[in-house]
Amino acid sequence: MIAFLFVLFAAMPQAPAQSVPGPLPAAETSTPDAHVETQLERDTRQLASELRCPVCQGLSLQDSPSELSQEMRVIIREQLLAGRSVAEVKQYFVAKYGEWILLEPEPHGFNLTVYIAPVLLLLGGAAFLYFTARRWTRQQAASAAPPSD
Amino acid sequence: MNSRRVLIAIAISLPIIALLAFGLTRDPNEIPSPLPGTAAPDFLLVSMDGSGDTIRLSSQRGKVVVLNFWASWCLQCRDEHADLSMAANRYRGRGVEFFGVLYNDQAENGRRWITEQGGQSYRSLLDPGSRTAVDYGLYGVPETFIIDQQGRVVRKKIGPTTVAELASFIDPLLGDAPTQEQSE
């Protein structure tokens, strides 16, 4: 019986997924709205990840469970929904809280220290290791060489 | 050779020490606000007293406005409450308006707190969703903003304030010389 049902099911003509005209499947009819919603949520999450929670220690709005962060996430979403760009919404928060609100400071002025210092320290460390290793190898080579008469 | 090593060590450590020293001169709680010197964000907020009255900041143009964000759960707000009420009484009728804004709190809790504190000599407003708080770049409570007659933020005070400090902010805007009390 089960085998018969299986054969019957297998013999049923399968509806082509894309070639049949007519109403689109439910997932496709809702695509435009769903796409906008998804993009909105993605932008909200992205921006909330770049902004600092004002009442936390080093947490982003996205990661913070605080009530203020939740309300700020709602504000981000509302402003994006109202047609503001991500850059405009970010600028709104910078205008209210200063650059402090950005988890990654903008690379200009004194902020450049944050970007340049690690590179300089890395290069300095590499140079130090190189010259130290070279000195050691030379000293070893000198001590290993047979004394000249 | 040794002197060269000492010079290199100094050259490396000096900028680091200078950077740390610069950090020590700054109060981590005093995050510089971009608001002073700019137009105060306008708001339309409902009074907390249940009367349904609304206050629009722009309708206060021509007056000095003291805007204090507070909450019933804020311990430091207790420290400044009497001073704010005293200052509001002192400047009543002199072109200065005091407003409290309840931050992240329930109106009922706020009203109960005011009763416990023996009353408030100025009006408090509700800020649902903390929209106004974010508009003013609030970090926490208490925070007090002084807005001049042209609607510009002139001062932002983080933490509890006092009568003397408020006078030092307000008197120059009224064209008054600082009083003896505040100059001490």
Side-chain angles (χ1 to χ4, degrees):
Chain A
M1 181 66 178
I2 292 171
F4 172 73
L5 285 173
F6 178 78
V7 170
L8 191 65
F9 181 74
M12 281 173 67
Q14 297 294 312
Q18 292 169 342
S19 61
V20 179
L24 290 166
E28 283 190 38
T29 46
S30 63
T31 296
D33 286 345
H35 176 71
V36 169
E37 187 69 11
T38 307
Q39 186 63 42
L40 177 69
E41 294 308 324
R42 196 181 301 134
D43 287 347
T44 303
R45 195 169 47 250
Q46 176 63 33
L47 192 48
S49 304
E50 293 175 19
L51 298 176
R52 190 190 300 271
C53 160
V55 294
C56 315
Q57 296 287 334
L59 279 181
S60 71
L61 293 181
Q62 183 64 27
D63 296 332
S64 164
S66 77
E67 206 161 323
L68 181 61
S69 293
Q70 289 174 32
E71 281 156 0
M72 288 170 85
R73 288 201 296 270
V74 171
I75 291 172
I76 291 173
R77 193 177 186 282
E78 283 176 357
Q79 293 199 4
L80 290 172
L81 206 55
R84 285 191 175 186
S85 68
V86 171
E88 284 171 337
V89 180
K90 189 193 263 189
Q91 188 50 44
Y92 164 79
F93 283 99
V94 171
K96 301 303 176 189
Y97 286 92
E99 282 200 8
W100 174 89
I101 199 76
L102 302 175
L103 275 172
E104 279 189 27
E106 297 285 342
H108 62 78
F110 187 72
N111 293 350
L112 282 172
T113 314
V114 180
Y115 292 90
I116 294 171
V119 179
L120 289 179
L121 284 173
L122 199 67
L123 289 175
F128 174 76
L129 282 177
Y130 171 75
F131 287 114
T132 306
R134 197 174 69 165
R135 195 172 68 240
W136 283 347
T137 50
R138 279 183 180 173
Q139 281 172 354
Q140 278 183 347
S143 60
S148 56
D149 294 330
Chain B
M1 185 64 180
N2 275 343
S3 62
R4 208 181 78 176
R5 280 187 179 178
V6 169
L7 279 175
I8 290 170
I10 289 172
I12 291 170
S13 56
L14 212 59
I16 297 169
I17 291 169
L19 202 64
L20 292 174
F22 172 72
L24 287 173
T25 61
R26 302 180 67 188
D27 181 356
N29 295 319
E30 289 283 342
I31 300 158
S33 168
L35 284 190
T38 65
D42 199 12
F43 58 74
L44 177 67
L45 298 176
V46 179
S47 181
M48 198 183 75
D49 58 14
S51 64
D53 293 349
T54 56
I55 297 291
R56 187 183 290 278
L57 177 67
S58 51
S59 68
Q60 305 295 321
R61 199 59 57 86
K63 295 176 185 173
V64 173
V65 173
V66 178
L67 197 63
N68 173 254
F69 288 85
W70 66 279
S72 68
W73 45 261
C74 155
L75 289 176
Q76 285 188 310
C77 298
R78 294 169 191 267
D79 298 340
E80 64 170 9
H81 179 74
D83 280 65
L84 277 163
S85 278
M86 213 182 298
N89 284 333
R90 178 193 280 193
Y91 288 101
R92 181 159 293 121
R94 293 178 59 191
V96 183
E97 287 290 340
F98 281 66
F99 295 109
V101 179
L102 190 66
Y103 168 72
N104 205 4
D105 204 349
Q106 300 294 316
E108 187 52 45
N109 294 341
R111 283 193 285 267
R112 193 183 311 123
W113 186 85
I114 287 174
T115 307
E116 285 169 8
Q117 299 297 311
Q120 194 174 44
S121 67
Y122 52 93
R123 189 174 280 200
S124 270
L125 312 168
L126 298 173
D127 179 25
S130 301
R131 295 297 192 277
T132 305
V134 174
D135 258 351
Y136 279 80
L138 208 75
Y139 294 104
V141 279
E143 282 187 19
T144 305
F145 294 83
I146 312 292
I147 300 163
D148 70 6
Q149 294 90 333
Q150 287 76 45
R152 280 192 312 261
V153 177
V154 289
R155 291 302 286 258
K156 174 183 179 177
K157 164 72 183 180
I158 297 173
T161 188
T162 62
V163 174
E165 188 177 51
L166 287 167
S168 73
F169 297 156
I170 297 168
D171 287 348
L173 297 174
L174 298 177
D176 295 349
T179 60
Q180 181 71 22
E181 183 190 350
Q182 72 199 52
S183 59
E184 283 171 357

